[in-house]
Amino acid sequence: MELSGQYRITAPRDRVWAALNDPEILKASIPGCKSLEKQSDTDLAAKVAVKIGPVKATMSGTVKLSNIHAPNGYTITGEGRGAAAGFAKGVADVTLTEEGDETVLSYSARGQVGGKIAQLGARLIDSVARDMADKFFKAFAEKVGEGPLARAEQAVEHAVGDAAHRVTEAAHDVEEATEKAAARGFLGGPIMWALLALIALVLLIRLST
């Protein structure tokens, strides 16, 4: 079984490389991943629940990184077993290429299965593998890159920042007006103007939010 593909990620290469070496991000991106623990700088232990046709199993195995050329790419080798379901092993070469503000992630993978899984047929296995790869890279790109969720979070941050800035400016203007009016003794002096200033500031905060 052989798979290959390319995915464009809206993020600099250094950020993508760091994410490819972050067990938490990988665990959150891998479909059905129950655990992914770092054993060393190049070795990880994983448990992944898979479903291929009528066969369901939790595969336990190891993942090893080699041919590491930061931040350009590496080779990842994995092997897992699922009791009566059989086994799966594979190796993939992953490369990262910068294109402006984006990173193109390319991979070429080769895999082998045995046991009950192998009896399901190459076409079904190939289809499930491609679907898992698409789901993984889509989730990975969303977490690492500036996808719709990240852009929405940035928009909220900008909106909150702008609102806070407007409220600060308004508070400063009200404070100056209060001091001037108090000096003139207008509308009952400083106490009355302090109350009006407080009401105006509360209204500004409510309108800003």
Side-chain angles (χ1 to χ4, degrees), residues 171-192:
H172 180 70
D173 292 343
V174 169
E175 183 180 357
E176 288 186 347
T178 301
E179 291 176 354
K180 292 178 181 178
R184 294 196 301 269
F186 183 59
L187 279 179
I191 295 178
M192 178 60 73

Side-chain angles (χ1 to χ4, degrees), residues 12 14 18 22 28 39-40 42 55 73 76 85 95 97-98 106 117 120 123 131 133 143 158 167 169 174 195 204-205:
D14 287 345
D22 186 328
Q39 305 294 308
S40 69
T42 58
V55 177
I76 181 169
T95 59
T97 306
E98 278 189 319
S106 304
I117 295 176
L120 298 174
R123 182 175 297 180
D131 181 62
K143 294 180 185 304
H158 289 317
V167 169
E169 288 185 339
V174 169
L195 288 173
L204 274 170
I205 293 173

